[in-house]
Amino acid sequence: MATSVATRFLFLVGDSLSLKKLPKISRPASFHNTAYVLSSTHGPLTLKSLGFKNETETTTTKFKKDNTKQTPSTLKVIQGQFQEVKPNRVKVKPKAVATENPVEIDSAPFSAKSFAELGLPPLLIEALNREGFQVPTDVQSASIPTILKNHDVVIQSYTGSGKTLAYVLPILSEVGPLANNNNNNKEPKKKPDIQAVIVAPSRELGMQIVREIKKLLGPENKRFVQQLVGGANRSRQEESLRKNKPVIVVGTPGRIAEISSSGKLHTHGCRYLVLDEIDQLLSFNFREDMHRIIEHVGKKADSDSGSDPVTGIKKRVERQMVMVSATVPFAVIRAAGSWGRNPFLVQADKVGPLESISRPPGPVNLAAGPGNNTPAASTAVAGSLPPALKHYYCVSRMLHKVDTLRRCVHALDAKTVIVFMNHTRQLKDAVFKLQARGLVAEELHGDLGKLTRSTMLKKFKKGEIRVLVTNELSARGLDVMDCDLVVNVDLPTDSVHYAHRAGRTGRLGRKGSVVSICEESEVFVVRKLQKQLGVTIQCCEFAEGKLVIEEQK
Ligand SMILES: Nc1ncnc2c1ncn2[C@@H]1O[C@H](COP(=O)(O)OP(=O)(O)OP(=O)(O)O)[C@@H](O)[C@H]1O
């Protein structure tokens, strides 16, 4: 299929050639409609929209054909206009060359409102200022007042848009030492129960949420939040609960359910239940633990409201639920409708009824994998990707993939790279090969001890590791602001996984690139991902230290 295309176009994007030599493109290119989906969603086609920084004259560069590619073709930029060149199946002569700066901020998702206008208490605003949070993001601006008005909500907004603070801030407005004084007076004097339970699917994500809350509480108040993640010493966690009497706990479903069952976590008086990465929490693995959490966290069951006909779980009356993810399949909407009290749907900067995501026609089974091209799959990932991200794919034989990866890192001059692979053994081999070629690369996966995992992450965040090779473990929630490149050495299993992996870069409006390295036989999968995600994934090669973009019909 990939080789059957009629016409292809190529140009170069690299870091060493002068930008000032590219011609200005003053009107949208009018050739193949499908070639520039991006131009229709991001305004007219300009060099900027294609990733060029400036628009001046053309430069010609020769390069050798990547021996992993099958059918090259050409693009000419002449006098400011693209001209189609007959497909040439033997030689490639790319013409235009420019640079790209992937860490530049492109489209910051900040709201026009201030934190004060959202109704947050003065102490919390002081803490936000101290920590350098000056302006709320769009999703925070929409979620905070809605949660403060006691509505249950489902928050869906693209990766890296600030969803954590979107629910943490209204909770801190109501419970703990930064809350409105009035509310503090209302809190039980003797032995306050836990006021908020935040559930996250992985230990890393749980710990990240705790860090974000502790930052705002400050060192003197950090005891008010407690982590209850798996893989850590349970007795120590129970001891801290007893001693510190936190008002917020953040943890993984297994550990929260375990301590709750042992009677050492008192959550009956809990006012908030947050399910972060709700779509993952609904997976089969977490079913029993989630059942316990949904049933026990919050006010005692209201005998009048009966049980949910599907789950059999008794309905609650006072607990406020917040469910969060960048990807919201219909299963989430169904669960939210059943667990929550008429929840609102917050999508980026808009608040609306939950029904605005209607059940898509056709099967809802996302586990059907990358071949799944149903409306349900597209509904789940709609609006999940940061708009500034650039997506590419590159065809490479399995044997050459790590070398292609290395050339990709150099061609994009990426400083902080997250690489996803599906199998631990190959992942280790890849790290070894990258290190042998002089790249500072390390591995991060579930087989490593928790201390090693934490150390790797810390080093990566500090910029001491350039390439972090990991697996699905890091696809959700991992927040490394400087990450400018994500590479899929193995394709993700579906568009939901693609969205979360891709979202490790381009955070909070920063520029970022996602490159998927696939075999020729997998190109159709990339096409399906592209369709479901509603983005253009451009075909590319890496040659002589440059990213060569190939456009095709
Ligand atoms: N208003 C703000 N001003 C500045 N930085 C912010 C603001 N809100 C959030 N951030 C920062 O932006 C980064 C991304 O936020 P966060 O992790 O909450 O995004 P997210 O939408 O939950 O992403 P994901 O879907 O990948 O989990 C974090 O480092 C966070 O501290």
Side-chain angles (χ1 to χ4, degrees):
M1 196 167 165
T3 54
S4 67
V5 291
T7 311
R8 289 186 175 196
F9 303 90
L10 283 174
F11 56 93
L12 282 176
V13 181
D15 57 347
S16 59
L17 286 159
S18 169
L19 289 171
K20 294 188 180 117
K21 293 185 179 166
L22 287 164
K24 184 162 180 149
I25 296 176
S26 54
R27 63 179 179 79
S30 58
F31 51 91
H32 303 299
N33 295 337
T34 50
Y36 285 98
V37 178
L38 242 179
S39 66
S40 65
T41 51
H42 295 257
L45 178 69
T46 62
L47 288 178
K48 190 166 183 290
S49 77
L50 294 170
F52 294 100
K53 235 175 131 189
N54 283 327
E55 301 173 352
T56 44
E57 304 161 31
T58 34
T59 300
T60 305
T61 299
K62 287 180 191 166
F63 75 101
K64 283 182 207 138
K65 181 178 166 289
D66 178 349
N67 59 9
T68 60
K69 283 297 299 166
Q70 315 284 319
T71 52
S73 54
T74 58
L75 170 93
K76 276 186 182 173
V77 181
I78 299 168
Q79 299 294 320
Q81 291 181 21
F82 287 99
Q83 290 200 350
E84 185 178 325
V85 178
K86 282 250 171 200
N88 178 346
R89 293 186 179 270
V90 186
K91 285 187 178 173
V92 184
K93 287 182 186 165
K95 294 279 180 183
V97 181
T99 62
E100 173 166 279
N101 178 1
V103 285
E104 222 176 84
I105 292 192
D106 201 50
S107 57
F110 288 109
S111 155
K113 289 191 177 153
S114 67
F115 280 118
E117 284 173 87
L118 301 180
L120 299 178
L123 281 177
L124 187 51
I125 291 175
E126 224 173 83
L128 283 163
N129 287 336
R130 185 191 67 224
E131 293 304 320
F133 298 108
Q134 307 289 342
V135 188
T137 64
D138 278 335
V139 69
Q140 290 161 3
S141 184
S143 306
I144 293 169
T146 315
I147 299 174
L148 285 176
K149 282 182 201 142
N150 294 325
H151 293 296
D152 285 3
V153 290
V154 173
I155 303 176
Q156 189 275 319
S157 176
Y158 58 80
T159 51
S161 56
K163 294 188 288 297
T164 314
L165 287 186
Y167 63 78
V168 161
L169 295 179
I171 292 175
L172 288 178
S173 296
E174 296 289 314
V175 305
L178 307 180
N180 282 312
N181 287 336
N182 296 345
N183 290 315
N184 274 343
N185 294 340
K186 273 191 239 156
E187 279 177 18
K189 294 220 166 65
K190 276 191 274 164
K191 182 188 150 231
D193 273 353
I194 304 295
Q195 298 289 301
V197 172
I198 300 171
V199 191
S202 74
R203 164 195 158 77
E204 274 75 12
L205 184 54
M207 287 164 65
Q208 195 170 279
I209 298 167
V210 169
R211 274 197 299 275
E212 195 100 342
I213 299 175
K214 279 189 177 166
K215 244 197 289 182
L216 292 171
L217 288 174
E220 68 284 8
N221 288 319
K222 62 181 190 187
R223 71 164 185 87
F224 285 98
V225 60
Q226 157 98 44
Q227 68 179 36
L228 297 179
V229 297
N233 188 308
R234 182 177 142 188
S235 338
R236 224 175 281 157
Q237 289 173 345
E238 289 173 351
E239 178 58 18
S240 300
L241 281 173
R242 204 185 50 79
K243 216 173 82 195
N244 294 333
K245 301 196 171 27
V247 290
I248 302 171
V249 294
V250 185
T252 46
R255 183 53 55 92
I256 292 177
E258 211 178 0
I259 301 185
S260 165
S261 309
S262 72
K264 293 185 176 137
L265 184 66
H266 305 283
T267 56
H268 283 299
C270 185
R271 294 166 60 184
Y272 299 96
L273 174 59
V274 179
L275 308 180
D276 202 340
E277 307 291 351
I278 166 84
D279 53 332
Q280 198 177 9
L281 290 174
L282 289 180
S283 73
F284 187 78
N285 294 354
F286 296 124
R287 203 178 55 167
E288 272 180 35
D289 298 327
M290 287 305 297
H291 193 275
R292 178 167 180 100
I293 290 168
I294 300 285
E295 200 163 359
H296 283 80
V297 172
K299 264 279 272 158
K300 281 195 170 97
D302 175 23
S303 49
D304 294 339
S305 53
S307 304
D308 180 274
V310 182
T311 60
I313 293 173
K314 287 207 169 158
K315 288 187 179 170
R316 311 282 154 176
V317 282
E318 280 184 27
R319 173 190 67 196
Q320 193 177 346
M321 281 194 79
V322 180
M323 293 153 271
V324 186
S325 182
T327 48
V328 174
F330 188 72
V332 167
I333 301 299
R334 202 173 35 197
S338 132
W339 294 337
R341 302 157 304 166
N342 303 319
F344 279 98
L345 176 68
V346 177
Q347 281 188 299
D349 57 350
K350 294 185 194 65
V351 186
L354 197 60
E355 299 75 49
S356 50
I357 294 188
S358 55
R359 190 195 183 108
V364 188
N365 180 18
L366 280 165
N372 179 19
N373 200 16
T374 61
S378 301
T379 306
V381 292
S384 60
L385 286 167
L389 276 195
K390 292 207 162 60
H391 305 264
Y392 307 102
Y393 74 93
C394 170
V395 177
S396 170
R397 290 200 191 109
M398 185 63 91
L399 264 179
H400 301 151
K401 277 193 172 185
V402 178
D403 195 48
T404 307
L405 162 65
R406 183 188 58 79
R407 286 185 289 120
C408 167
V409 171
H410 289 307
L412 287 168
D413 192 25
K415 305 285 184 286
T416 308
V417 186
I418 300 180
V419 175
F420 287 99
M421 294 184 70
N422 295 342
H423 307 286
T424 312
R425 225 182 73 199
Q426 280 97 320
L427 187 160
K428 286 168 184 277
D429 285 350
V431 171
F432 182 75
K433 282 184 196 158
L434 292 171
Q435 287 172 342
R437 301 299 296 265
L439 274 169
V440 185
E442 291 295 347
E443 60 194 90
L444 181 72
H445 48 82
D447 290 359
L448 301 174
K450 65 178 184 341
L451 194 64
T452 317
R453 270 154 70 173
S454 305
T455 311
M456 286 303 169
L457 263 179
K458 267 189 208 144
K459 284 169 95 177
F460 186 58
K461 285 188 178 185
K462 276 202 237 158
E464 291 168 17
I465 296 171
R466 186 175 181 190
V467 183
L468 188 73
V469 189
T470 184
N471 57 15
E472 225 52 52
L473 173 84
S474 312
R476 288 205 185 224
L478 179 62
D479 181 46
V480 182
M481 284 294 225
D482 292 336
C483 175
D484 49 359
L485 173 65
V486 162
V487 183
N488 293 314
V489 166
D490 296 318
L491 288 180
T493 50
D494 57 31
S495 51
V496 169
H497 288 84
Y498 183 96
H500 287 282
R501 286 180 175 193
R504 297 317 100 209
T505 182
R507 296 183 72 73
L508 213 69
R510 281 163 174 74
K511 277 194 172 181
S513 303
V514 187
V515 178
S516 298
I517 303 175
C518 64
E519 294 191 77
E520 188 72 43
S521 60
E522 295 172 311
V523 170
F524 82 99
V525 177
V526 175
R527 299 257 164 81
K528 282 187 176 167
L529 289 172
Q530 168 172 272
K531 202 168 166 199
Q532 287 173 5
L533 292 155
V535 295
T536 301
I537 306 180
Q538 293 172 297
C539 182
C540 75
E541 300 179 356
F542 306 102
E544 293 195 350
K546 307 288 175 297
L547 167 66
V548 184
I549 300 172
E550 184 172 344
E551 286 298 335
Q552 57 196 40
K553 196 177 175 185

